[in-house]
Amino acid sequence: MVIIFLAGCGQENEKTEIHVLTAASMTPAMNELKELYESKNPYITIVPVYGGSGQLKDQISQGAPADVFLSAALRWMEELNEAEEVEGYENLLVNDLVAVSQIEAGFEMEGLDDLLNDEVDTVGIGDPSTVPAGEYAKQGIEAAGIWKEMEDKLVFASDVRQVLTYVETGNVDVGIVYETDVYGKENIQIDYTLTNHEPIIYPVGLLANSNHPGEAREFYEWLKTNEALNVFESYGFGVY
């Protein structure tokens, strides 16, 4: 009997997984980017991990598999950079923060003070300690001078997409989310655009402890190309 060993058999079709920790507000855009990139790079699998940016930053610091980080706030990227956990990062996108409600509720707002009206029992925001959208919302509410009066109405969520779900299911009357979160939502209306908060900037970072630094860098650089940026813009993001 002659036994033939095929060198590399079973490895030729193995795919390299690139773990991309991604702010929850970017979920639809990243899902499309994943498909687009994989179609052009058949031996790469993009593995998105979605959540609040603060939670994702903690996962990175605790050693979770991570190659690229897309944050909804500069703060978390800067902390990783100071800890030398980021090889490099750049500001990529911008967004707006809006108060939203179900269209059928017929709610109207001229300012954040209207959230104190009796017709608004609950207001959903991201947890300000870990969710950038929640932190921005708190800044805006505090700037309006109504944070103390609002506290009993506030319902905190683990990420901004959960806030939108609360609005869609009627678990809160009003939610404060990114403008991109309501893109294409036919049953949700934008009631008010908040302005008194830090600029909403999304940086992208290449992580220092990537298990696949070469492939991770290629994806990191591709996210900054016009091809990728056009996808982000199609979901309502602005380019930095």
Side-chain angles (χ1 to χ4, degrees):
M1 178 184 295
V2 178
I3 300 176
I4 300 175
F5 292 95
L6 300 177
C9 184
Q11 297 178 1
E12 187 176 341
N13 295 323
E14 287 184 3
K15 295 188 177 185
T16 298
E17 291 188 348
I18 302 301
H19 292 80
V20 184
L21 276 63
T22 308
S25 55
M26 309 177 83
T27 300
M30 181 52 65
N31 286 341
E32 182 171 334
L33 289 165
K34 166 185 165 67
E35 292 185 9
L36 178 59
Y37 193 77
E38 290 177 349
S39 70
K40 296 173 178 292
N41 300 273
Y43 297 111
I44 298 291
T45 297
I46 302 300
V47 183
V49 179
Y50 300 114
S53 297
Q55 295 170 330
L56 296 175
K57 177 260 177 188
D58 288 342
Q59 290 179 31
I60 293 167
S61 297
Q62 291 163 9
D67 301 289
V68 175
F69 180 33
L70 282 157
S71 173
L74 275 173
R75 165 187 170 190
W76 305 117
M77 192 71 74
E78 289 171 342
E79 288 189 13
L80 289 173
N81 189 54
E82 289 173 6
E84 299 183 345
E85 295 181 76
V86 174
E87 188 171 313
Y89 73 90
E90 291 186 29
N91 296 336
L92 190 68
L93 305 167
V94 295
N95 211 338
D96 286 318
L97 195 70
V98 294
V100 301
S101 63
Q102 291 187 16
I103 290 177
E104 62 185 26
F107 186 56
E108 297 181 2
M109 284 183 66
E110 295 182 359
L112 286 178
D113 287 356
D114 291 332
L115 295 177
L116 298 175
N117 294 346
D118 291 339
E119 62 184 305
V120 179
D121 293 322
T122 49
V123 178
I125 69 172
D127 184 342
S129 65
T130 57
V131 182
E135 185 176 7
Y136 299 135
K138 183 178 181 181
Q139 290 172 3
I141 294 169
E142 285 182 332
I146 58 172
W147 178 260
K148 290 290 185 184
E149 296 169 273
M150 283 284 300
E151 282 186 312
D152 289 341
K153 294 189 176 189
L154 294 175
V155 177
F156 293 156
S158 60
D159 61 55
V160 71
R161 302 290 292 183
Q162 188 175 64
V163 176
L164 186 63
T165 298
Y166 287 167
V167 177
E168 291 181 303
T169 57
N171 286 317
V172 298
D173 299 314
V174 176
I176 298 180
V177 299
Y178 295 120
E179 185 174 6
T180 53
D181 291 315
V182 296
Y183 217 67
K185 297 286 185 180
E186 297 180 357
N187 61 328
I188 300 295
Q189 67 179 17
I190 294 175
D191 301 311
Y192 184 74
T193 299
L194 286 73
T195 56
N196 292 327
H197 52 74
E198 294 176 9
I200 300 173
I201 299 172
Y202 288 65
V204 57
L206 179 64
L207 297 173
N209 291 327
S210 169
N211 290 324
H212 307 284
E215 293 89 342
R217 178 172 286 280
E218 288 178 4
F219 183 66
Y220 167 77
E221 294 295 343
W222 179 77
L223 287 173
K224 298 182 284 181
T225 66
N226 287 335
E227 183 178 34
L229 292 174
N230 287 341
V231 173
F232 283 120
E233 287 184 297
S234 73
Y235 287 91
F237 289 95
V239 175
Y240 180 79

